[in-house]
Amino acid sequence: MSNDDKRPGIIKLWFLAIRPQTLPASLSPVAVGAAMAYSDGYRGAVLENAFVFWLFALFIQIGTNLHNDYADFVKGADTHERVGQARVTQKGWLQPSEMAAGATLALACAAAVGVRLVSVGGYPMVCIVLTSLFNAVAYTGGPYPLGYIHPRLGDFSIGYLGLGDLFVLAYFGFVAVCGTYYMCSAPHLSLSYDAVWAAVPTGFLATAIIVVNNLRDRKTDVKAGKLTMAVRFGATFARSEYTILVLGAFVSLLAGIPFGRSPVQSPWWVLPWLSLPMGLNRVKAIWALDGKDLNPLLGATAKFQLLFCTLFVAAILKAENPAGNLSAASSLT
């Protein structure tokens, strides 16, 4: 038995299952949304509400990862031919029922935290909580629990239909950033145009993470009928998509000029651009690597997103808010 097939201890086993290298994708947008709310003058319960939203997003991501581990094995996408990092169910380290139970527990925790979000944010948070819980399961789909609700739902899958990239952009970009901003603006409960703008580069880089995953797994995904964008349009398309997403994150920063958020108005807005060399390095890597050699790039892309968003947050907080006060901030609500 090789070291790769040796069963880890129970704590390490579950730690591997939640895919810790990808978890910054849930922290980064929350930090951006909270910083933008603080910059716009909201001082009430920014840290408290941002922390609650982050807990919700974290449990959603963990639940999605665990259910994906379970469902990809059941659907036949994760086999002995897999070149990605170890999947606990595929390795036989846990039974599918145990992995499904872990996913259920994580999503139950998300639902519990969601009650707090709803109590503060009202109906918009009801929509975010319910759709997030559904999408966490529908991302991969599978016989549990959708197939138990209705047989036809067992065949429904966001990821298998090739909509995973759009899902990540929407929920780890716009929903997470804008939802956090909305919660942090309590009791006003508003949403500004610049919060929507900030969601664009954040969502682009979160999506880049899933592009690496799908590019790496395309050869086994096609055998299981998992029609990701990389499967539908090929490796060159996936690499081009990754390049556009990474470079597009920087280009989208220029759209902040109308909001007074650019190096023209404040030198602090140079900060996110300091991560450009790392971004170019990641782009170079995706054109040079394939198969299992892409494994390090998956975590490296998540680290890049974290660095970019950390610098983005610093710029938001340090640069003078051109709105100056709440009444002057451009608001959608």
PDB file of all heavy atoms in Angstrom, residues 89-122:
ATOM      1  N   THR A  89     -14.198   9.723  -0.080  1.00  0.00           N
ATOM      2  CA  THR A  89     -15.132   8.646  -0.419  1.00  0.00           C
ATOM      3  C   THR A  89     -14.543   7.741  -1.489  1.00  0.00           C
ATOM      4  O   THR A  89     -14.631   6.506  -1.402  1.00  0.00           O
ATOM      5  CB  THR A  89     -16.475   9.223  -0.906  1.00  0.00           C
ATOM      6  OG1 THR A  89     -16.913  10.254  -0.020  1.00  0.00           O
ATOM      7  CG2 THR A  89     -17.534   8.131  -0.960  1.00  0.00           C
ATOM      8  N   GLN A  90     -13.924   8.316  -2.497  1.00  0.00           N
ATOM      9  CA  GLN A  90     -13.342   7.533  -3.584  1.00  0.00           C
ATOM     10  C   GLN A  90     -12.233   6.618  -3.079  1.00  0.00           C
ATOM     11  O   GLN A  90     -12.072   5.497  -3.560  1.00  0.00           O
ATOM     12  CB  GLN A  90     -12.814   8.479  -4.672  1.00  0.00           C
ATOM     13  CG  GLN A  90     -12.194   7.775  -5.876  1.00  0.00           C
ATOM     14  CD  GLN A  90     -10.692   7.579  -5.734  1.00  0.00           C
ATOM     15  OE1 GLN A  90      -9.989   8.463  -5.237  1.00  0.00           O
ATOM     16  NE2 GLN A  90     -10.201   6.427  -6.163  1.00  0.00           N
ATOM     17  N   LYS A  91     -11.468   7.081  -2.088  1.00  0.00           N
ATOM     18  CA  LYS A  91     -10.394   6.280  -1.520  1.00  0.00           C
ATOM     19  C   LYS A  91     -10.919   5.145  -0.640  1.00  0.00           C
ATOM     20  O   LYS A  91     -10.181   4.245  -0.261  1.00  0.00           O
ATOM     21  CB  LYS A  91      -9.461   7.173  -0.689  1.00  0.00           C
ATOM     22  CG  LYS A  91      -8.563   8.087  -1.509  1.00  0.00           C
ATOM     23  CD  LYS A  91      -7.449   7.309  -2.184  1.00  0.00           C
ATOM     24  CE  LYS A  91      -6.447   8.220  -2.847  1.00  0.00           C
ATOM     25  NZ  LYS A  91      -5.359   7.467  -3.524  1.00  0.00           N
ATOM     26  N   GLY A  92     -12.197   5.212  -0.276  1.00  0.00           N
ATOM     27  CA  GLY A  92     -12.763   4.199   0.600  1.00  0.00           C
ATOM     28  C   GLY A  92     -12.500   4.465   2.069  1.00  0.00           C
ATOM     29  O   GLY A  92     -12.718   3.584   2.918  1.00  0.00           O
ATOM     30  N   TRP A  93     -12.037   5.661   2.380  1.00  0.00           N
ATOM     31  CA  TRP A  93     -11.727   6.002   3.769  1.00  0.00           C
ATOM     32  C   TRP A  93     -12.996   6.260   4.586  1.00  0.00           C
ATOM     33  O   TRP A  93     -13.000   6.101   5.790  1.00  0.00           O
ATOM     34  CB  TRP A  93     -10.818   7.224   3.816  1.00  0.00           C
ATOM     35  CG  TRP A  93      -9.449   6.972   3.244  1.00  0.00           C
ATOM     36  CD1 TRP A  93      -8.816   5.765   3.121  1.00  0.00           C
ATOM     37  CD2 TRP A  93      -8.551   7.944   2.709  1.00  0.00           C
ATOM     38  NE1 TRP A  93      -7.584   5.921   2.554  1.00  0.00           N
ATOM     39  CE2 TRP A  93      -7.381   7.251   2.289  1.00  0.00           C
ATOM     40  CE3 TRP A  93      -8.606   9.328   2.544  1.00  0.00           C
ATOM     41  CZ2 TRP A  93      -6.297   7.908   1.717  1.00  0.00           C
ATOM     42  CZ3 TRP A  93      -7.524   9.982   1.974  1.00  0.00           C
ATOM     43  CH2 TRP A  93      -6.386   9.276   1.558  1.00  0.00           C
ATOM     44  N   LEU A  94     -14.045   6.691   3.897  1.00  0.00           N
ATOM     45  CA  LEU A  94     -15.361   6.827   4.521  1.00  0.00           C
ATOM     46  C   LEU A  94     -16.406   6.253   3.573  1.00  0.00           C
ATOM     47  O   LEU A  94     -16.240   6.305   2.350  1.00  0.00           O
ATOM     48  CB  LEU A  94     -15.691   8.301   4.813  1.00  0.00           C
ATOM     49  CG  LEU A  94     -15.014   8.973   6.004  1.00  0.00           C
ATOM     50  CD1 LEU A  94     -15.439  10.428   6.081  1.00  0.00           C
ATOM     51  CD2 LEU A  94     -15.342   8.255   7.312  1.00  0.00           C
ATOM     52  N   GLN A  95     -17.484   5.735   4.125  1.00  0.00           N
ATOM     53  CA  GLN A  95     -18.593   5.255   3.331  1.00  0.00           C
ATOM     54  C   GLN A  95     -19.386   6.448   2.790  1.00  0.00           C
ATOM     55  O   GLN A  95     -19.420   7.516   3.415  1.00  0.00           O
ATOM     56  CB  GLN A  95     -19.508   4.370   4.171  1.00  0.00           C
ATOM     57  CG  GLN A  95     -18.862   3.071   4.611  1.00  0.00           C
ATOM     58  CD  GLN A  95     -18.431   2.215   3.433  1.00  0.00           C
ATOM     59  OE1 GLN A  95     -19.210   1.977   2.499  1.00  0.00           O
ATOM     60  NE2 GLN A  95     -17.189   1.762   3.456  1.00  0.00           N
ATOM     61  N   PRO A  96     -20.029   6.299   1.628  1.00  0.00           N
ATOM     62  CA  PRO A  96     -20.841   7.392   1.089  1.00  0.00           C
ATOM     63  C   PRO A  96     -21.862   7.927   2.092  1.00  0.00           C
ATOM     64  O   PRO A  96     -22.100   9.136   2.166  1.00  0.00           O
ATOM     65  CB  PRO A  96     -21.530   6.752  -0.125  1.00  0.00           C
ATOM     66  CG  PRO A  96     -20.570   5.700  -0.569  1.00  0.00           C
ATOM     67  CD  PRO A  96     -19.966   5.152   0.697  1.00  0.00           C
ATOM     68  N   SER A  97     -22.456   7.028   2.861  1.00  0.00           N
ATOM     69  CA  SER A  97     -23.447   7.457   3.850  1.00  0.00           C
ATOM     70  C   SER A  97     -22.822   8.339   4.932  1.00  0.00           C
ATOM     71  O   SER A  97     -23.454   9.281   5.415  1.00  0.00           O
ATOM     72  CB  SER A  97     -24.108   6.243   4.497  1.00  0.00           C
ATOM     73  OG  SER A  97     -23.134   5.422   5.148  1.00  0.00           O
ATOM     74  N   GLU A  98     -21.582   8.050   5.307  1.00  0.00           N
ATOM     75  CA  GLU A  98     -20.892   8.868   6.310  1.00  0.00           C
ATOM     76  C   GLU A  98     -20.574  10.248   5.756  1.00  0.00           C
ATOM     77  O   GLU A  98     -20.720  11.260   6.451  1.00  0.00           O
ATOM     78  CB  GLU A  98     -19.603   8.170   6.752  1.00  0.00           C
ATOM     79  CG  GLU A  98     -19.818   6.861   7.496  1.00  0.00           C
ATOM     80  CD  GLU A  98     -18.518   6.150   7.816  1.00  0.00           C
ATOM     81  OE1 GLU A  98     -17.748   5.864   6.876  1.00  0.00           O
ATOM     82  OE2 GLU A  98     -18.271   5.876   9.007  1.00  0.00           O
ATOM     83  N   MET A  99     -20.150  10.307   4.490  1.00  0.00           N
ATOM     84  CA  MET A  99     -19.851  11.591   3.873  1.00  0.00           C
ATOM     85  C   MET A  99     -21.123  12.411   3.701  1.00  0.00           C
ATOM     86  O   MET A  99     -21.138  13.631   3.927  1.00  0.00           O
ATOM     87  CB  MET A  99     -19.167  11.385   2.523  1.00  0.00           C
ATOM     88  CG  MET A  99     -18.670  12.681   1.869  1.00  0.00           C
ATOM     89  SD  MET A  99     -17.514  13.615   2.912  1.00  0.00           S
ATOM     90  CE  MET A  99     -16.121  12.483   2.924  1.00  0.00           C
ATOM     91  N   ALA A 100     -22.211  11.746   3.317  1.00  0.00           N
ATOM     92  CA  ALA A 100     -23.497  12.434   3.185  1.00  0.00           C
ATOM     93  C   ALA A 100     -23.954  12.986   4.531  1.00  0.00           C
ATOM     94  O   ALA A 100     -24.501  14.091   4.607  1.00  0.00           O
ATOM     95  CB  ALA A 100     -24.545  11.484   2.617  1.00  0.00           C
ATOM     96  N   ALA A 101     -23.705  12.236   5.593  1.00  0.00           N
ATOM     97  CA  ALA A 101     -24.063  12.705   6.933  1.00  0.00           C
ATOM     98  C   ALA A 101     -23.239  13.935   7.317  1.00  0.00           C
ATOM     99  O   ALA A 101     -23.751  14.885   7.922  1.00  0.00           O
ATOM    100  CB  ALA A 101     -23.857  11.587   7.953  1.00  0.00           C
ATOM    101  N   GLY A 102     -21.947  13.933   6.955  1.00  0.00           N
ATOM    102  CA  GLY A 102     -21.099  15.087   7.241  1.00  0.00           C
ATOM    103  C   GLY A 102     -21.573  16.314   6.501  1.00  0.00           C
ATOM    104  O   GLY A 102     -21.598  17.427   7.055  1.00  0.00           O
ATOM    105  N   ALA A 103     -21.966  16.141   5.234  1.00  0.00           N
ATOM    106  CA  ALA A 103     -22.494  17.263   4.451  1.00  0.00           C
ATOM    107  C   ALA A 103     -23.783  17.789   5.060  1.00  0.00           C
ATOM    108  O   ALA A 103     -24.000  19.002   5.150  1.00  0.00           O
ATOM    109  CB  ALA A 103     -22.733  16.826   3.007  1.00  0.00           C
ATOM    110  N   THR A 104     -24.630  16.876   5.506  1.00  0.00           N
ATOM    111  CA  THR A 104     -25.893  17.273   6.129  1.00  0.00           C
ATOM    112  C   THR A 104     -25.647  18.084   7.396  1.00  0.00           C
ATOM    113  O   THR A 104     -26.310  19.097   7.643  1.00  0.00           O
ATOM    114  CB  THR A 104     -26.735  16.031   6.460  1.00  0.00           C
ATOM    115  OG1 THR A 104     -26.988  15.300   5.260  1.00  0.00           O
ATOM    116  CG2 THR A 104     -28.056  16.424   7.101  1.00  0.00           C
ATOM    117  N   LEU A 105     -24.685  17.641   8.202  1.00  0.00           N
ATOM    118  CA  LEU A 105     -24.364  18.358   9.432  1.00  0.00           C
ATOM    119  C   LEU A 105     -23.857  19.767   9.128  1.00  0.00           C
ATOM    120  O   LEU A 105     -24.273  20.741   9.777  1.00  0.00           O
ATOM    121  CB  LEU A 105     -23.306  17.582  10.227  1.00  0.00           C
ATOM    122  CG  LEU A 105     -22.817  18.253  11.529  1.00  0.00           C
ATOM    123  CD1 LEU A 105     -23.971  18.451  12.496  1.00  0.00           C
ATOM    124  CD2 LEU A 105     -21.715  17.395  12.168  1.00  0.00           C
ATOM    125  N   ALA A 106     -22.967  19.891   8.145  1.00  0.00           N
ATOM    126  CA  ALA A 106     -22.429  21.203   7.794  1.00  0.00           C
ATOM    127  C   ALA A 106     -23.538  22.132   7.310  1.00  0.00           C
ATOM    128  O   ALA A 106     -23.588  23.320   7.696  1.00  0.00           O
ATOM    129  CB  ALA A 106     -21.349  21.062   6.721  1.00  0.00           C
ATOM    130  N   LEU A 107     -24.448  21.619   6.493  1.00  0.00           N
ATOM    131  CA  LEU A 107     -25.526  22.445   5.981  1.00  0.00           C
ATOM    132  C   LEU A 107     -26.560  22.754   7.062  1.00  0.00           C
ATOM    133  O   LEU A 107     -27.198  23.815   7.024  1.00  0.00           O
ATOM    134  CB  LEU A 107     -26.180  21.769   4.776  1.00  0.00           C
ATOM    135  CG  LEU A 107     -25.255  21.628   3.557  1.00  0.00           C
ATOM    136  CD1 LEU A 107     -25.962  20.892   2.428  1.00  0.00           C
ATOM    137  CD2 LEU A 107     -24.776  22.992   3.084  1.00  0.00           C
ATOM    138  N   ALA A 108     -26.711  21.867   8.019  1.00  0.00           N
ATOM    139  CA  ALA A 108     -27.586  22.151   9.158  1.00  0.00           C
ATOM    140  C   ALA A 108     -27.013  23.306   9.983  1.00  0.00           C
ATOM    141  O   ALA A 108     -27.754  24.176  10.468  1.00  0.00           O
ATOM    142  CB  ALA A 108     -27.753  20.907  10.022  1.00  0.00           C
ATOM    143  N   CYS A 109     -25.680  23.308  10.137  1.00  0.00           N
ATOM    144  CA  CYS A 109     -25.025  24.421  10.837  1.00  0.00           C
ATOM    145  C   CYS A 109     -25.223  25.719  10.071  1.00  0.00           C
ATOM    146  O   CYS A 109     -25.459  26.782  10.660  1.00  0.00           O
ATOM    147  CB  CYS A 109     -23.537  24.136  11.012  1.00  0.00           C
ATOM    148  SG  CYS A 109     -23.166  22.819  12.191  1.00  0.00           S
ATOM    149  N   ALA A 110     -25.123  25.654   8.740  1.00  0.00           N
ATOM    150  CA  ALA A 110     -25.351  26.834   7.916  1.00  0.00           C
ATOM    151  C   ALA A 110     -26.774  27.347   8.085  1.00  0.00           C
ATOM    152  O   ALA A 110     -27.001  28.563   8.192  1.00  0.00           O
ATOM    153  CB  ALA A 110     -25.077  26.515   6.440  1.00  0.00           C
ATOM    154  N   ALA A 111     -27.733  26.430   8.133  1.00  0.00           N
ATOM    155  CA  ALA A 111     -29.128  26.822   8.314  1.00  0.00           C
ATOM    156  C   ALA A 111     -29.343  27.494   9.671  1.00  0.00           C
ATOM    157  O   ALA A 111     -30.082  28.483   9.786  1.00  0.00           O
ATOM    158  CB  ALA A 111     -30.037  25.603   8.175  1.00  0.00           C
ATOM    159  N   ALA A 112     -28.676  26.958  10.698  1.00  0.00           N
ATOM    160  CA  ALA A 112     -28.794  27.544  12.037  1.00  0.00           C
ATOM    161  C   ALA A 112     -28.241  28.967  12.060  1.00  0.00           C
ATOM    162  O   ALA A 112     -28.848  29.877  12.632  1.00  0.00           O
ATOM    163  CB  ALA A 112     -28.066  26.664  13.052  1.00  0.00           C
ATOM    164  N   VAL A 113     -27.083  29.157  11.427  1.00  0.00           N
ATOM    165  CA  VAL A 113     -26.511  30.500  11.344  1.00  0.00           C
ATOM    166  C   VAL A 113     -27.400  31.390  10.488  1.00  0.00           C
ATOM    167  O   VAL A 113     -27.551  32.591  10.753  1.00  0.00           O
ATOM    168  CB  VAL A 113     -25.079  30.453  10.764  1.00  0.00           C
ATOM    169  CG1 VAL A 113     -24.516  31.857  10.604  1.00  0.00           C
ATOM    170  CG2 VAL A 113     -24.172  29.617  11.660  1.00  0.00           C
ATOM    171  N   GLY A 114     -28.016  30.796   9.469  1.00  0.00           N
ATOM    172  CA  GLY A 114     -28.903  31.550   8.594  1.00  0.00           C
ATOM    173  C   GLY A 114     -30.087  32.158   9.317  1.00  0.00           C
ATOM    174  O   GLY A 114     -30.597  33.203   8.906  1.00  0.00           O
ATOM    175  N   VAL A 115     -30.526  31.520  10.394  1.00  0.00           N
ATOM    176  CA  VAL A 115     -31.626  32.075  11.192  1.00  0.00           C
ATOM    177  C   VAL A 115     -31.246  33.458  11.720  1.00  0.00           C
ATOM    178  O   VAL A 115     -32.051  34.397  11.731  1.00  0.00           O
ATOM    179  CB  VAL A 115     -31.995  31.132  12.355  1.00  0.00           C
ATOM    180  CG1 VAL A 115     -33.006  31.788  13.292  1.00  0.00           C
ATOM    181  CG2 VAL A 115     -32.533  29.808  11.812  1.00  0.00           C
ATOM    182  N   ARG A 116     -29.996  33.596  12.160  1.00  0.00           N
ATOM    183  CA  ARG A 116     -29.496  34.885  12.637  1.00  0.00           C
ATOM    184  C   ARG A 116     -29.470  35.917  11.511  1.00  0.00           C
ATOM    185  O   ARG A 116     -29.850  37.077  11.697  1.00  0.00           O
ATOM    186  CB  ARG A 116     -28.098  34.700  13.235  1.00  0.00           C
ATOM    187  CG  ARG A 116     -27.321  35.982  13.482  1.00  0.00           C
ATOM    188  CD  ARG A 116     -27.955  36.860  14.521  1.00  0.00           C
ATOM    189  NE  ARG A 116     -27.135  38.050  14.751  1.00  0.00           N
ATOM    190  CZ  ARG A 116     -27.508  39.082  15.498  1.00  0.00           C
ATOM    191  NH1 ARG A 116     -28.701  39.068  16.085  1.00  0.00           N
ATOM    192  NH2 ARG A 116     -26.701  40.114  15.642  1.00  0.00           N
ATOM    193  N   LEU A 117     -29.052  35.486  10.326  1.00  0.00           N
ATOM    194  CA  LEU A 117     -29.019  36.404   9.180  1.00  0.00           C
ATOM    195  C   LEU A 117     -30.424  36.899   8.852  1.00  0.00           C
ATOM    196  O   LEU A 117     -30.633  38.087   8.594  1.00  0.00           O
ATOM    197  CB  LEU A 117     -28.418  35.701   7.960  1.00  0.00           C
ATOM    198  CG  LEU A 117     -26.946  35.300   8.040  1.00  0.00           C
ATOM    199  CD1 LEU A 117     -26.527  34.599   6.750  1.00  0.00           C
ATOM    200  CD2 LEU A 117     -26.058  36.504   8.291  1.00  0.00           C
ATOM    201  N   VAL A 118     -31.375  35.991   8.865  1.00  0.00           N
ATOM    202  CA  VAL A 118     -32.756  36.347   8.545  1.00  0.00           C
ATOM    203  C   VAL A 118     -33.331  37.298   9.590  1.00  0.00           C
ATOM    204  O   VAL A 118     -34.059  38.247   9.258  1.00  0.00           O
ATOM    205  CB  VAL A 118     -33.624  35.081   8.427  1.00  0.00           C
ATOM    206  CG1 VAL A 118     -35.107  35.437   8.335  1.00  0.00           C
ATOM    207  CG2 VAL A 118     -33.191  34.260   7.214  1.00  0.00           C
ATOM    208  N   SER A 119     -32.983  37.080  10.848  1.00  0.00           N
ATOM    209  CA  SER A 119     -33.520  37.927  11.917  1.00  0.00           C
ATOM    210  C   SER A 119     -33.053  39.374  11.786  1.00  0.00           C
ATOM    211  O   SER A 119     -33.740  40.297  12.222  1.00  0.00           O
ATOM    212  CB  SER A 119     -33.113  37.374  13.292  1.00  0.00           C
ATOM    213  OG  SER A 119     -31.716  37.527  13.504  1.00  0.00           O
ATOM    214  N   VAL A 120     -31.892  39.566  11.173  1.00  0.00           N
ATOM    215  CA  VAL A 120     -31.362  40.922  10.982  1.00  0.00           C
ATOM    216  C   VAL A 120     -31.719  41.465   9.611  1.00  0.00           C
ATOM    217  O   VAL A 120     -32.144  42.614   9.474  1.00  0.00           O
ATOM    218  CB  VAL A 120     -29.824  40.946  11.156  1.00  0.00           C
ATOM    219  CG1 VAL A 120     -29.261  42.329  10.828  1.00  0.00           C
ATOM    220  CG2 VAL A 120     -29.445  40.533  12.565  1.00  0.00           C
ATOM    221  N   GLY A 121     -31.552  40.630   8.578  1.00  0.00           N
ATOM    222  CA  GLY A 121     -31.680  41.113   7.204  1.00  0.00           C
ATOM    223  C   GLY A 121     -33.022  40.918   6.544  1.00  0.00           C
ATOM    224  O   GLY A 121     -33.236  41.429   5.446  1.00  0.00           O
ATOM    225  N   GLY A 122     -33.931  40.179   7.157  1.00  0.00           N
ATOM    226  CA  GLY A 122     -35.258  40.022   6.612  1.00  0.00           C
ATOM    227  C   GLY A 122     -35.337  39.178   5.356  1.00  0.00           C
ATOM    228  O   GLY A 122     -34.536  38.261   5.142  1.00  0.00           O
TER     229      GLY A 122
END
